[in-house]
Amino acid sequence: MATRSVRDWILHVDLDQFIAAVELLRHPELRGRPVVVGGTGDPTRPRTVAATATYEARAHGVRSGMPLRTAQRRCPEAVFLPSDPPAYEAASREVMAVLRAFPVRVEVWGWDEAFVGAATDDPEALAADLQHAVLARTGLTCSVGIGDNKHQAKLASAFAKPAGVHRLTGDDWAETMNHRSTDALWGVGAKTARKLAAHGVHTVAQLAAADPAELARHFGPTNGPWLRYLALGKGEAEVVTTPWIARGHSRETTFEHDLTDRGDIAHHVATLAGRVARDTIDAGRQATRVTVKVRYTPFLTRTRQATLPAATADPAAITRTALTVLGRFDLDRPVRLLGVAVDYAMPDDQPTLDHLD
């Protein structure tokens, strides 16, 4: 009997319909029913969108990012629940703690996904053990993709949904991927796929066989060859366990009724700036730059920014800068959304935030 050798693998752990699944743990009576989560949970309020939907709702065409009103039209029998980010953050931390209890390397990529690096002779058995541990500890299911690199593992987990395990490596890459459109690749969006199609490249196989020089000419010296690299099934194979450090924070509000009064607009920007400043203090960070976003009716978005004189978490300084930036906008049309964001000084470049004067 042939023995399997221990080697390095990359696994992508992707929690199934994560936000909806967390809500179903809190509302088990809703299992099996179409559920949509987003905003305040009120589909009659304008300009609120779905954060996620259960598979039962998705079967009716409901998708993340869809206006709740549209979701209600497509699925009148759906139950709508408000979004609760702190609950999702807590559930995510618990899942990642389960993964870290294994003799593996864990790179968190968001609330609902992580890459796992492991040396094993049986990656499917490891994937199953991870799934069982997550389910036992949190009540959540996950799909696990196995690959030689992150790109393959990420795509494999999509093939595994829901709650399955799938392996995609160099051995079966061509058979699995070559016939698919280029936007099946991780990192190739619809816009890039359309541009590739305009140059006669429609499938992964065609992209893999494309002339690197031609790709560089049309997509840039870095992006062009990188697209072919993806089509060949290549990708990063290092799992980085260094904790992710946020580079900034933002707050924004979409208004049920458009704003036209400059005083009202300034008031909302000041309020958002104060919230961002509080987030900065809570994170123990300091801000270096302030960005203001204005979205006019119907959907024209503009941003302006300014660098702070010195890194700070002082709410007055951040608010004052935000209002100064707002003064650079032409507020001559109705405003439907306002946002304020700050860039953080990175930890190696900033002093410890002990207090505010």
Side-chain angles (χ1 to χ4, degrees), residues 1-5:
M1 179 177 178
T3 59
R4 293 177 293 194
S5 60

PDB file of all heavy atoms in Angstrom, residues 1-5:
ATOM      1  N   MET A   1       0.858  -1.202   0.000  1.00  0.00           N
ATOM      2  CA  MET A   1       0.000   0.000   0.000  1.00  0.00           C
ATOM      3  C   MET A   1       0.880   1.233   0.000  1.00  0.00           C
ATOM      4  O   MET A   1       1.812   1.358   0.794  1.00  0.00           O
ATOM      5  CB  MET A   1      -0.909  -0.012   1.236  1.00  0.00           C
ATOM      6  CG  MET A   1      -1.823   1.197   1.335  1.00  0.00           C
ATOM      7  SD  MET A   1      -2.911   1.070   2.779  1.00  0.00           S
ATOM      8  CE  MET A   1      -3.773   2.630   2.612  1.00  0.00           C
ATOM      9  N   ALA A   2       0.619   2.158  -0.916  1.00  0.00           N
ATOM     10  CA  ALA A   2       1.431   3.362  -1.022  1.00  0.00           C
ATOM     11  C   ALA A   2       1.192   4.269   0.187  1.00  0.00           C
ATOM     12  O   ALA A   2       0.072   4.391   0.691  1.00  0.00           O
ATOM     13  CB  ALA A   2       1.086   4.115  -2.303  1.00  0.00           C
ATOM     14  N   THR A   3       2.268   4.859   0.676  1.00  0.00           N
ATOM     15  CA  THR A   3       2.158   5.788   1.801  1.00  0.00           C
ATOM     16  C   THR A   3       2.138   7.217   1.284  1.00  0.00           C
ATOM     17  O   THR A   3       2.803   7.543   0.302  1.00  0.00           O
ATOM     18  CB  THR A   3       3.347   5.613   2.773  1.00  0.00           C
ATOM     19  OG1 THR A   3       4.566   5.840   2.051  1.00  0.00           O
ATOM     20  CG2 THR A   3       3.355   4.207   3.356  1.00  0.00           C
ATOM     21  N   ARG A   4       1.357   8.043   1.958  1.00  0.00           N
ATOM     22  CA  ARG A   4       1.275   9.447   1.585  1.00  0.00           C
ATOM     23  C   ARG A   4       2.313  10.229   2.358  1.00  0.00           C
ATOM     24  O   ARG A   4       2.573   9.960   3.532  1.00  0.00           O
ATOM     25  CB  ARG A   4      -0.133   9.990   1.877  1.00  0.00           C
ATOM     26  CG  ARG A   4      -1.198   9.389   1.000  1.00  0.00           C
ATOM     27  CD  ARG A   4      -2.571   9.907   1.369  1.00  0.00           C
ATOM     28  NE  ARG A   4      -2.980   9.464   2.689  1.00  0.00           N
ATOM     29  CZ  ARG A   4      -4.225   9.550   3.156  1.00  0.00           C
ATOM     30  NH1 ARG A   4      -5.162  10.091   2.403  1.00  0.00           N
ATOM     31  NH2 ARG A   4      -4.531   9.131   4.367  1.00  0.00           N
ATOM     32  N   SER A   5       2.897  11.188   1.691  1.00  0.00           N
ATOM     33  CA  SER A   5       3.949  11.971   2.333  1.00  0.00           C
ATOM     34  C   SER A   5       3.371  13.257   2.903  1.00  0.00           C
ATOM     35  O   SER A   5       2.413  13.826   2.374  1.00  0.00           O
ATOM     36  CB  SER A   5       5.058  12.298   1.327  1.00  0.00           C
ATOM     37  OG  SER A   5       4.537  13.042   0.243  1.00  0.00           O
TER      38      SER A   5
END
